[in-house]
Amino acid sequence: MSDLDKAIAQLRACRPIPEAQVRELCYKARELLIEEGNVVGVDAPVTICGDIHGQFHDLMELFRVGGDVPDTNYLFMGDFVDRGFYSLESFLLLLCLKVRYPDRITLIRGNHESRQITTVYGFYDECLRKYGSANVWRYCCDVFDYLALGALVTGASTKLEATGAGFAESYPQNSMPADDLDIEIEILNSNGDIMNRFPRSQPQAPSTPKPEPSSSPILGTPARTGPAGTGASGSSSGSLSNDGGAVLCVHGGLSPLIDTVDKIRLLDRKQEVPHEGAMCDLLWSDPDEIDGWGLSPRGAGFLFGADIVKHFNHKNDISLIARAHQLVMEGFKEMFDSTIVTVWSAPNYCYRCGNVAAILELGEDGSNGGYVARSNGDAGRKAEREPRGAPGRRYRVFEAAPQDSRGMPAKKPVADYFL
Amino acid sequence: MSTPQLPNLLDSLGTGRGRGRRRGRGRGGLGENHEDNQEKKDRVVQKTDEDASVSRMSAVEMGYLDDPFARAFIYDPPIPRRYPIINRGTYVRTAAIDTLVNKFLAADRGAQKQIISLGAGSDTRYFRIISKDPTVKLVYHELDFPTNVAQKISAIQHTPSLLAVIRSTLSTPSDLQITAHALTSPTYNIHPLDLRTLAIDPSTSAPPPLPTLPHLSTGAPTLLLSECCLIYLSPHDADSILATLATSLIPPSTPLALILYEPIRPHDPFGRVMISNLAARGIHLQTLQKYSSLSRQRARLRSAGFVDGQAAADVDFIWGRWVGEAEKERVAGLEMLDELEEWVLLARHYCVAWGWRDGVGEGGGLFGTAWEGVVGQEGNDEGEGID
Ligand SMILES: C[S@@+](CC[C@H](N)C(=O)[O-])C[C@H]1O[C@@H](n2cnc3c(N)ncnc32)[C@H](O)[C@@H]1O
């Protein structure tokens, strides 16, 4: 067993690795990351994940639900650290996996992968507590500076391949679509049972109002945070290809300074996350029900409306933006006619919020004999273009892992309340 | 006013007397076990004050609150830093109650007023009020368990600036009487009292005598505060304590109001996790199910006799509507909130509720005037309360 495999085994058991080994790991990771562009190209199939926030046991649950590395190709959209009790183990495990299987896992930067934020939100204190010095925190922060800012997933299919999954008990019997229907969205629970499905609306058919998908019957209560899940896209316009178009993944969202994916590629990313500017916006912004751009109440980044997303996607030949950054009680939330989705992968966030988590699987388009139409997000390559159907989306929804289930250290986390 | 001492409540804490329903149980066996358990539970409740004072200190250190007195009541330094979201919540809680209290004190300014703080713990409000305006005509009473009171008094005795604030309100220094167990004066009083001794069932044929609270005014317009206190009592006790206060200790002819600050909305996912997380610490939010929504809090105030006005708002609403733009900008600029959804979620699960009765004669209408224009959150959220 190589040292790296040993480190992976140790971290999987939620035990930190020695400082010297962290140093070496971070060095290797940097060597690897420096070769990646600001926007990493990723081929489908891929499983896209949102915020983790040091919830190590829930990350293990995520791997159980989504499959292990390297069997499953993963893309993590940042915010590995802070808030949870095991930021260190979570981030180092992901980093080890990155070094061990560089083509099977992609890590991009979140707003918490920053020196300033980690000193306020826990990762710095955790490193100090676990190693007695800030060295490990410094090594990790150096790696943060090399993380890519985004990823572009290509070759995703509009069709969802059957998983052979059964139907969950909660599955609405009367709404089960016929098997030959083109399923656009499928929602599975953590056992892999289908909780809900949504067919793609037919090209010329008058748009029939779809049932509003509620992604998480397991929550047991009606969503209080707005419409759960999706208003599945009716934007398929009969393109014969199964190519679902490119999916842009960023942690936060868009920036008024960025109108093409190529402009992201031009940024100088190897620095601490700045307080403003394009790089800051990509990591901090949020979609919102507004027109155009708005000030963000977070104090960094911007709010952007449906018009901004639709224009950006059209201009860059992108069918979907996947982003993380915002807690959604149901684990995921599609907005703006499914042109953007928020994926949140930290269940019961901060051991307090009571939310479920989700990951998003995009299948591979095998229809061209495996040939992947490279859509690089180049602006204006094709002047007139049929808008593509969004890729088929399979969401796997899961709850927080029972804390004491796997013989791992399970210090009972104390969430703060107002007493 | 003469100052008859309280029945010896310290002695009553551990054994014998205490809650009426305990009396008559035999020694040993079930009874004692029950008492041990009760004491254990009480200790957990008493310790919640530490959470509150540490949160206060954290908010002060980060510049959210201006409170030079908070540090004197930190018994176990160094204080852990709270997350920005908690600091903001502590800020809104304090600012909201301050708003209502200050409007009460400002109304009919020359008239004598009274504040009774239930489960006051290490609260610094009295010192903040007086240090701003030593001439305010106010008698302030704090009630808490003897243990908490003893700790607070000891801190006061060791802190000259606190003593100076109290003395600044007195005409003769000898008006201030401090023992290890109680502090009394014509302006500031800390009474050792298990509030449950006030939970007297009025239908009992021979109700136990009421504890006497030195310097309690029966005629001055009076504001009751329960900042995260009654929530820890059983619904029955919480209700009858209010009934005793509003009828026996303060006669119905006296204008009386109550401000509550406590958690709400126990039935959604956040609420359910809150209940189980706190239960794991031995903390039980006993009235939460009964007073689970803003609507239910308003109804509670009405049936507790605060018939002339009732209003309530959650902390999210108060942050949005009560805090001025400039102040909001100042506070938001202190620390960056990384997660706004989390803030809204948390802030929707705490509320301030306030209600009043006018009493009769002079001073009538005082609360209505004082709190005119303070916006409550309208609408029926009963559905959220009961799921
Ligand atoms: C969470 S602390 C709040 C302290 C203070 N009101 C504040 O907001 O900073 C609750 C306080 O209520 C007190 N308390 C709870 N039950 C009580 C009872 N039965 N009798 C007296 N005090 C009680 C506790 O001892 C504790 O000091």
Side-chain angles (χ1 to χ4, degrees):
Chain A
M1 210 195 222
S2 76
D3 282 354
L4 190 52
D5 284 330
K6 274 189 212 139
I8 290 174
Q10 189 167 338
L11 286 165
R12 274 187 199 276
C14 199
R15 291 200 310 266
I17 54 176
E19 183 176 319
Q21 211 172 352
V22 176
R23 194 180 150 178
E24 195 184 319
L25 170 69
C26 289
Y27 184 80
K28 281 189 193 148
R30 258 175 25 183
E31 301 270 273
L32 202 67
L33 294 170
I34 202 170
E35 297 299 324
E36 291 186 342
N38 291 348
V39 182
V40 192
V42 174
D43 295 334
V46 63
T47 297
I48 299 172
C49 313
D51 295 29
I52 300 298
H53 282 303
Q55 299 188 188
F56 182 86
H57 302 79
D58 301 322
L59 177 61
M60 293 299 103
E61 176 71 359
L62 183 156
F63 284 139
R64 185 187 71 78
V65 169
D68 228 323
V69 187
D71 306 334
T72 301
N73 180 25
Y74 277 103
L75 195 169
F76 285 88
M77 298 190 288
D79 278 14
F80 316 111
V81 299
D82 280 345
R83 307 304 291 268
F85 277 78
Y86 305 98
S87 291
L88 182 85
E89 293 81 354
S90 306
F91 179 62
L92 291 182
L93 175 60
L94 290 172
L95 210 59
C96 277
L97 293 171
K98 174 72 192 173
V99 172
R100 178 75 175 78
Y101 309 104
D103 298 329
R104 299 300 288 167
I105 178 167
T106 304
L107 307 176
I108 66 177
R109 192 171 190 175
N111 60 313
H112 277 264
E113 276 72 59
S114 127
R115 289 167 187 78
Q116 204 194 348
I117 299 292
T118 50
T119 51
V120 178
Y121 283 101
F123 182 49
Y124 175 85
D125 292 336
E126 185 185 325
C127 291
L128 219 55
R129 200 169 60 239
K130 291 179 178 169
Y131 289 96
S133 85
N135 291 343
V136 163
W137 173 77
R138 263 185 231 108
Y139 301 147
C140 291
C141 288
D142 287 343
V143 174
F144 294 164
D145 288 344
Y146 286 80
L147 290 170
L149 303 178
L152 198 67
V153 178
T154 49
S157 168
T158 54
K159 283 221 155 59
L160 278 180
E161 289 295 323
T163 54
F167 290 92
E169 263 171 42
S170 61
Y171 189 85
Q173 294 300 327
N174 52 351
S175 64
M176 188 180 309
D179 268 352
D180 55 345
L181 261 186
D182 186 4
I183 303 296
E184 180 174 355
I185 301 172
E186 190 170 80
I187 302 165
L188 308 187
N189 64 19
S190 61
N191 297 323
D193 299 329
I194 298 169
M195 296 198 293
N196 223 331
R197 294 176 137 171
F198 300 91
R200 196 175 293 273
S201 39
Q202 294 309 303
Q204 262 74 41
S207 59
T208 44
K210 291 185 188 180
E212 190 79 326
S214 167
S215 56
S216 42
I218 50 179
L219 262 186
T221 34
R224 287 235 42 82
T225 51
T230 85
S233 88
S235 63
S236 168
S237 53
S239 151
L240 289 177
S241 157
N242 283 341
D243 179 358
V247 177
L248 177 68
C249 304
V250 287
H251 179 71
L254 298 176
S255 165
L257 299 168
I258 298 283
D259 59 348
T260 66
V261 173
D262 275 343
K263 290 215 173 129
I264 305 178
R265 300 184 206 276
L266 293 176
L267 298 172
D268 174 18
R269 78 169 190 267
K270 289 169 200 80
Q271 53 170 323
E272 167 75 345
V273 181
H275 288 238
E276 53 186 22
M279 176 166 159
C280 166
D281 298 344
L282 293 168
L283 272 54
W284 278 95
S285 295
D286 298 303
D288 195 19
E289 306 291 342
I290 55 169
D291 282 331
W293 296 98
L295 282 182
S296 170
R298 294 188 196 247
F302 289 88
L303 300 176
F304 52 95
D307 51 340
I308 303 290
V309 174
K310 287 179 181 175
H311 182 253
F312 183 92
N313 286 7
H314 181 75
K315 184 164 180 181
N316 290 279
D317 197 13
I318 283 168
S319 58
L320 176 70
I321 295 175
R323 45 89 65 175
H325 196 39
Q326 270 177 303
L327 168 66
V328 269
M329 293 303 282
E330 290 77 21
F332 73 94
K333 182 181 178 182
E334 297 193 351
M335 291 172 75
F336 309 158
D337 303 319
S338 301
T339 52
I340 187 165
V341 59
T342 301
V343 180
W344 182 266
S345 307
N348 197 18
Y349 178 48
C350 293
Y351 315 104
R352 178 170 60 195
C353 289
N355 60 292
V356 298
I359 51 180
L360 164 58
E361 291 179 5
L362 301 178
E364 174 184 19
D365 174 20
S367 64
N368 290 335
Y371 167 75
V372 173
R374 279 265 168 215
S375 160
N376 287 322
D378 292 341
R381 249 180 322 121
K382 288 177 266 174
E384 283 305 316
R385 214 174 18 227
E386 289 295 310
R388 297 172 191 271
R393 307 181 291 289
R394 176 172 290 122
Y395 295 98
R396 291 185 191 267
V397 176
F398 60 101
E399 289 176 90
Q403 279 281 318
D404 42 11
S405 57
R406 295 187 184 83
M408 282 180 286
K411 176 170 168 255
K412 192 88 194 152
V414 184
D416 281 333
Y417 292 97
F418 303 114
L419 301 180
Chain B
M1 191 195 247
S2 71
T3 55
Q5 285 307 304
L6 288 165
N8 197 337
L9 288 161
L10 263 191
D11 291 347
S12 77
L13 189 73
T15 53
R17 235 196 58 106
R19 309 181 58 186
R21 69 170 77 136
R22 249 197 258 148
R23 230 176 302 166
R25 276 185 203 272
R27 279 168 200 280
L30 255 182
E32 234 160 53
N33 252 334
H34 173 82
E35 283 189 10
D36 282 356
N37 270 337
Q38 192 56 55
E39 269 180 49
K40 243 187 235 152
K41 284 186 187 163
D42 286 354
R43 264 200 299 278
V44 173
V45 170
Q46 289 156 10
K47 286 283 264 186
T48 61
D49 176 51
E50 210 174 294
D51 280 78
S53 61
V54 165
S55 291
R56 183 180 306 115
M57 193 62 230
S58 170
V60 170
E61 286 210 314
M62 295 309 296
Y64 288 83
L65 298 172
D66 179 19
D67 183 348
F69 309 108
R71 186 174 299 277
F73 301 108
I74 299 296
Y75 307 117
D76 196 8
I79 61 131
R81 191 180 46 191
R82 299 285 202 226
Y83 280 128
I85 186 178
I86 298 291
N87 288 334
R88 184 182 286 192
T90 303
Y91 166 82
V92 175
R93 156 191 188 161
T94 308
I97 299 175
D98 281 354
T99 298
L100 291 166
V101 167
N102 291 339
K103 284 178 185 288
F104 162 61
L105 295 177
D108 196 4
R109 222 191 145 277
Q112 177 71 41
K113 312 267 175 52
Q114 176 167 258
I115 293 178
I116 304 175
S117 176
L118 310 178
S122 303
D123 189 19
T124 55
R125 184 163 277 108
Y126 171 75
F127 298 96
R128 292 192 289 113
I129 292 173
I130 300 303
S131 65
K132 264 209 213 113
D133 180 6
T135 66
V136 63
K137 281 181 86 179
L138 173 67
V139 50
Y140 203 102
H141 300 271
E142 298 187 347
L143 315 183
D144 210 308
F145 283 112
T147 330
N148 296 60
V149 165
Q151 203 172 27
K152 186 164 195 175
I153 290 175
S154 161
I156 292 173
Q157 282 177 308
H158 290 101
T159 315
S161 61
L162 297 177
L163 287 170
V165 170
I166 304 173
R167 294 214 172 96
S168 74
T169 63
L170 303 174
S171 35
T172 33
S174 62
D175 280 347
L176 176 62
Q177 306 215 335
I178 310 186
T179 70
H181 314 304
L183 183 154
T184 59
S185 79
T187 51
Y188 184 47
N189 302 272
I190 313 179
H191 308 292
L193 182 73
D194 182 338
L195 287 169
R196 289 168 299 196
T197 45
L198 300 177
I200 299 158
D201 194 344
S203 62
T204 330
S205 52
L210 276 179
T212 16
L213 299 176
H215 299 291
L216 184 78
S217 159
T218 50
T222 298
L223 174 58
L224 304 173
L225 293 179
S226 166
E227 186 175 351
C228 268
C229 172
L230 291 176
I231 187 90
Y232 301 116
L233 296 161
S234 73
H236 169 272
D237 285 354
D239 290 351
S240 19
I241 288 165
L242 286 182
T244 302
L245 282 161
T247 52
S248 311
L249 281 178
I250 309 289
S253 54
T254 302
L256 183 72
L258 169 64
I259 300 175
L260 293 157
Y261 167 86
E262 53 191 41
I264 48 167
R265 299 181 177 137
H267 300 294
D268 61 14
F270 181 99
R272 288 199 296 265
V273 173
M274 169 164 73
I275 289 170
S276 81
N277 278 348
L278 289 176
R281 291 176 58 184
I283 298 172
H284 302 283
L285 307 172
Q286 296 195 61
T287 63
L288 181 55
Q289 305 290 335
K290 186 168 180 191
Y291 304 122
S292 53
S293 63
L294 299 177
S295 311
R296 286 179 171 216
Q297 291 284 11
R298 287 189 291 259
R300 166 198 201 170
L301 288 164
R302 198 175 309 115
S303 53
F306 302 97
V307 290
D308 292 301
Q310 313 86 28
D314 66 35
V315 163
D316 180 41
F317 179 93
I318 293 174
W319 167 255
R321 296 286 298 277
W322 293 22
V323 183
E325 285 310 313
E327 176 68 351
K328 229 187 270 177
E329 209 169 290
R330 179 189 78 82
V331 171
L334 291 172
E335 292 180 286
M336 191 174 265
L337 275 202
D338 63 330
E339 187 53 68
L340 282 166
E341 289 66 30
E342 187 195 10
W343 159 249
V344 173
L345 203 54
L346 180 67
R348 282 176 45 82
H349 285 81
Y350 290 86
C351 80
V352 175
W354 62 104
W356 65 92
R357 72 165 185 228
D358 285 335
V360 291
E362 268 184 58
L366 182 136
F367 285 104
T369 315
W371 291 340
E372 202 183 338
V374 182
V375 277
Q377 207 168 338
E378 299 294 327
N380 188 337
D381 64 343
E382 177 69 30
E384 299 177 30
I386 55 173
D387 205 9

